[in-house]
Amino acid sequence: MNTFDQLGLDTPFLQAINDMGFETPSEVQAKAIPLLLEKETDVVALAQTGTGKTAAFGFPMLQKIDNQSRQTQGLILSPTRELCLQITQELKNYAKYVKGLNVVAIYGGASINYQAKNVKKGAQILVATPGRMQDIIRRRMVDISKVEYCVLDEADEMLNMGFYEDITSILSNTPDDKCTWLFSATMPKEVSVIAKKFMYAPE
Ligand code: AMP
């Protein structure tokens, strides 16, 4: 598939892609976008930073969630604050022509009350670092019990940084039947352990 209109994305997303000047889908986008749009399945994708992986999971997630509902339906975990903010900004750009779609970043070193206030307004997607996510869950400032799609971005990095326990604990607050999409630059044993523990027959 070498054009974006062949991937199954709705017009508002194609317009945003056009505005951003993306001409052809990258390899991970061409493989992941149609699969994630079509199937309710767990997926493991090997992709480095700079390959367009944010769009590979971002567009399918944005298209699949219900923007009429204020419920949190998508959760993206990423290892660092910088990446968390970058993903949030990208998703906002992708969704610029979709009304009522709110993406909120949850990361350490900034006001948790401010983040919680934004979540309360109705955030369908949360992009979070594991430590702050744990904190905001413990304080009951978010509800992730209805999450349908969960992305573990840079899973290898998150494990290197010692977030295994946090990830396990965060995921225990999400439904068992959600879809989990794991993106990682490398596939060390620890990442396969995560895939085995948290995913069902991933593609
Ligand atoms: P990522 O790998 O998701 O961090 O993306 C790296 C950069 O490439 C980001 O700045 C994206 O906006 C940009 N990008 C993603 N997909 C494409 C594409 N198909 N064509 C051109 N640029 C892209």
Side-chain angles (χ1 to χ4, degrees), residues 62-163:
L62 289 163
Q63 184 157 310
K64 286 182 122 174
I65 62 150
D66 174 8
N67 62 323
Q68 303 297 315
S69 158
R70 288 154 55 98
Q71 188 86 46
T72 299
Q73 302 153 56
L75 172 66
I76 299 165
L77 293 178
S78 80
T80 63
R81 164 163 61 165
E82 289 68 30
L83 188 60
C84 172
L85 287 168
Q86 199 182 306
I87 295 169
T88 306
Q89 191 50 54
E90 287 262 328
L91 295 195
K92 286 183 176 172
N93 291 343
Y94 303 163
K96 67 192 266 204
Y97 294 116
V98 184
K99 274 219 170 73
L101 221 164
N102 299 313
V103 184
V104 172
I106 310 283
Y107 54 93
S111 159
I112 197 167
N113 289 322
Y114 177 74
Q115 293 169 353
K117 206 168 91 190
N118 282 331
V119 172
K120 219 170 165 194
K121 286 188 207 154
Q124 294 93 350
I125 298 180
L126 305 182
V127 186
T129 52
R132 173 56 66 94
M133 191 64 205
Q134 268 278 71
D135 200 6
I136 205 164
I137 291 171
R138 260 195 237 111
R139 296 186 197 205
R140 300 183 191 279
M141 289 167 149
V142 294
D143 173 14
I144 54 169
S145 66
K146 301 272 165 27
V147 159
E148 292 173 53
Y149 305 101
C150 178
V151 172
L152 302 176
D153 192 27
E154 305 208 347
D156 48 356
E157 272 306 305
M158 287 201 284
L159 295 177
N160 282 341
M161 292 169 72
F163 286 133

